[in-house]
Amino acid sequence: MISNADCPLCDLSAGQAGRIVRIHGKAEHVHRLAEFGLRPGVTVRMFRPGTPCIFQLGESKVCFRQDRQLQVFVEPMPHRV
Amino acid sequence: MGNPNTGKSTLFSALVGVHQHVGNYPGVTVEKKLGRMRAGRQEFEVIDLPGLYSLAVRSRDEQVALDVLLGRIDGDQPVDAILCVVDAGNLCRNFYLLSQLIELGRPMVVAVNMVDVAERRGMRVDCSLLERRLGVPVVPTQAHRGIGIDEIKAALLRVRGTPPPELEQVFPAEFEREAELLEGEFDSCGMPRCACRRFRRGMVRRMLLDVHGRMHCGLDPAARSRWLSLLDSARARLGEAGVELPGVEPPSRYAWAQRVLDGVVSVAADRPPTATDRIDRFLTHPIFGLAVFAAVMAVMFQAVFLGAKPLIDAAAAGVDAVSGAASHILPEGALRDLIVDGVIAGVGSVVVFVPQIAILFVFIAVLEDCGYMARAAFLMDRLMVRVGLSGKSFIPMLSSFACAVPGIMATRVIEDERDRLATIFAAPLLTCSARLPVYGLLIGAFIPDYRWVYGIVGLQGLVLGLFYLLGIVAAVATALLLKRTVLRGESPPLLLELPSYKRPSASVVVMRVAQRVWVFLRTAGTLILAISVLVWAALYFPRNTPTVGPLLAQRQAIEAVRSALPADLAEDDPRRTSLDEQLAELSRAIDMEFQQHSLLASAGRWIEPVVRPLGWDWRIGCAVMASFPAREVVVATMGVMYQFGDLEEAADKDIDRVSRQLRSVRRDGSDEPAFTVPVALSIMVFFALCIQCGATLAVIRRETNSWRWPAFAFAYMTTLAYVGALATYQIAAWLALRWA
C-alpha cells in the first residue's frame, strides 16, 4: 500500500527531513543501500533536491540518483522552524 | 582497512612514511599499496586496501580486500593483524564493516580517526569504553597531525597472535545454528585448512551470505558441488524460518552497532551547520556551483597548457642534450643511429609528456584529497547520464583533452566496470595536445585566414573548433554505442558520499603524483621504446642506396678541404663556417636519400592503393604509418619524406612559406598537387579519430588487464579514422570540383 503521505526521496524540499519507509528495486541494489545505512526507519535531511540529489544521512552527506530501477520512499516530516 | 573518506591513506602515509610503493594485484586492476613500517625493533609490511563499505563481494575492490585478508592471493599468508580505520564522526556506519572484519577472527586494532573534526561538531567518543566493549585496542588518532601513530604501532605489536573476542550475537540464532552445522562439514569439503576456528566460522558466515556465489572457493569440483548443495539447503531452511539472505545482514549488523555504541558517543543536541555545509551551499548550487566548476577546469587547463610549456621545453632540451652527447661519444654507424634516433628519440617522446601529465595528476590528486571531486561528479552527473555514463566519468574525459593517458588512469574511481570501459574507449577520441601540432600545421597551411567581426572570429579558429567538436561527438557516440551493445547492462545505483572538505595533504598528493607518473613512464616507456626502435629500423634499413654514392664523395671532398684549413683560424671564420654549413646540408641530404629508399618507404609505396582513396600519396602514407607509436612525429616524418628539413621549426617561423612549399609538391609522375585542402582535411580527420599513441594502448592494456581491449580499441579507431578520412576526402573533393 502506498499511502498519500509518502513521497519519493528526491521530492523532499531543501532542509526538509523525512523518514525512509521503503525502498523499491532489485534486491541486490536495495541491499547495497542498506549496507550504506539507507534503510527503512532511518531519517534523512534533504540538502539539494533534484536528480541526483544530496542529502544528509547521520553525519555524512550523500549524493544519490534515483531512477525507475531504484526508488526510495520517505514519509516527510514537518519543516523545522 | 576502512570505509572510504576515513583518512585511511593519510594514516597509511603516517605509518610507513616514504617507504611505500604501488603495483597491481595479479589479474585485477586494483591498486596494491604496500609500505614498510618499523615498530619496536621489528619491521612490518603494511598493506593499504581499497576503501570499502562492506566485505560482501560485488566488485573487484571487495574481492581483492577479502582475498588479502584471507591470505588467498598467491603465496601470501593471511594477515598478522588488521588495522581498521573508522571515522569518529560516523561510527555507526563504519561499524558495519568493523563487525565484518572482527568476525574474520584476525588480531585487530581500531583507529578512531579524525576525533578532532568530530569534537568540533560537538561529538565525543569514549574510546576506553569502546575498547572494553569490543575487546580490541581502540586508539583515537588524528592522522594528518601524526597524533596516535605510536600508540597504533604499540597496539599492533600487542595484539599479534591474539584474535579478538567473539562478537556478542549479531545474527539470529537460526543463522548461527546453520553456520555451526556448515562449519562441521568445512574440512570434509576440502576447504582451505586453517588452524583458527574463528577464522573458519567467519568464512562460513560470509559464504552463507554470499548468495551470488562470487567468493571463488578454489575447491576441486566434487567437493565444491557438495559444499554448494550444503549451502543451498542451509539457505532454504533459513528461508523457511523467515531469515532472508542476504537481507538479514544489514539490520543485524546495524542493530549490533547501535548496541555497542550506546553511551559511547555523545552527540550535541542540535547539529549546527558545518563549514562544509556552508561551502556546499555554494559549490553544489545549480548556477554558482557550475560557474566555480568551470573556473576550476579553466585554471587546470591553463596550467596544463601554459604552465607545462617551459617544463616541456626544458624536457625537450634535456633530451636533445642527451642525444647530442651520445652522438659525440659514440662512433658513427648503425649503433649510434639506433641509440640516438631510435632509443633516445623514443624515450624522449615519452619524457616530454611528463610535465603535462604530472600537472594534470597534481590537479586531480588535490581535487580528490580536498573532497571536491565528489561534488564535481554530482554537478556533472546530469550531463553524463545522457550519454549513459555517470558523473564520475567526467574528470577522466576532461583530462583526456590534455592527454588520454592520465584520463584513462583516472577511470579507477568508476566502480562500475561497464561505465569504466566505455569511458576508457571514449577518452582517446577526445582531442589531446599531441594532435595540435598536426592541426596547427595543416590548418595554418591550407585554411585561408579569413576573419570576421573585427577580426575576432577567424575561419582557422572555427575549423580547429570543429575538430574539437568532432572528437567530442565521436567520443559520445562511442560511449553510447558501447553502452547499448557490448557493455549493455543495468548500472548500479549512483550512491556517493560527499566527504567533508579538508586541506589537501602535501605528502598524500606528492606520493600519488609520483606513483602515477612512474607508472606512466614504466608502462608507456617500454612499449614506445619497442615500437620506436622498430619504426627507426624501418626508416634506417636497408641503407644500400646507390644514389648516395656521389653525395658521400662530395662530403669527403669538403671534409678534406676543411681539414686543410690553417689550424689557427678563428672559430667563426667565414671560410670554416661556410664549409660546416655545407657539410650539415650534405648530411641531411644523405639521411633523406637513405630514408627515401628505406623499408618504410617501400612499405609506403606498397600500401599506396589503400591510402589513395583518402587522397594521400605514398609519402603521406609513410608519415602516417611512422606516427602510429606517437602521433606528434608525423610532422617531422613528413618533413623527411618531402625533403623539407625541419618542418615544425619552419612552420613556427614562416607558415606562409611552408604553405607554398606544401602546395608546390607534385605527386610522383604527375602534375597533380600532392596537398590540397581536401587532402589536408582528410589527414586531420584521420588524426582526430585514430589511436596513434603507443602510450595510450599500453595504459589501456594495464587498466583492462588484457591485450584484447587495446587491440579492439586499435581496430575500432583505425577503422573509424579510415572511414572518416575517406568520407571527408571524397565529399570535400567533390565539393571542390563543383566550386571550381
Side-chain angles (χ1 to χ4, degrees), chain B residues 579-598:
Chain B
L579 284 180
D580 282 346
E581 271 167 33
Q582 284 179 39
L583 275 177
E585 191 66 33
L586 263 176
S587 298
R588 260 204 299 278
I590 291 168
D591 279 347
M592 280 180 190
E593 201 56 39
F594 275 132
Q595 286 170 347
Q596 298 259 320
H597 297 90
S598 63

Side-chain angles (χ1 to χ4, degrees), chain B residues 50 66 73 81 94 112 141 182 260 304 312 332 342 352 405 423 445 528 535 537 556 560 620 639 653 672 675 687:
Chain B
L66 197 63
I73 300 241
N94 282 260
V112 180
T141 56
L182 280 169
V260 172
V304 167
I312 291 173
E332 194 171 336
V352 294
V405 171
T423 313
I528 292 215
V535 170
Q556 258 168 3
I620 303 177
K653 277 198 212 124
E672 260 182 283
F675 279 98
F687 273 78

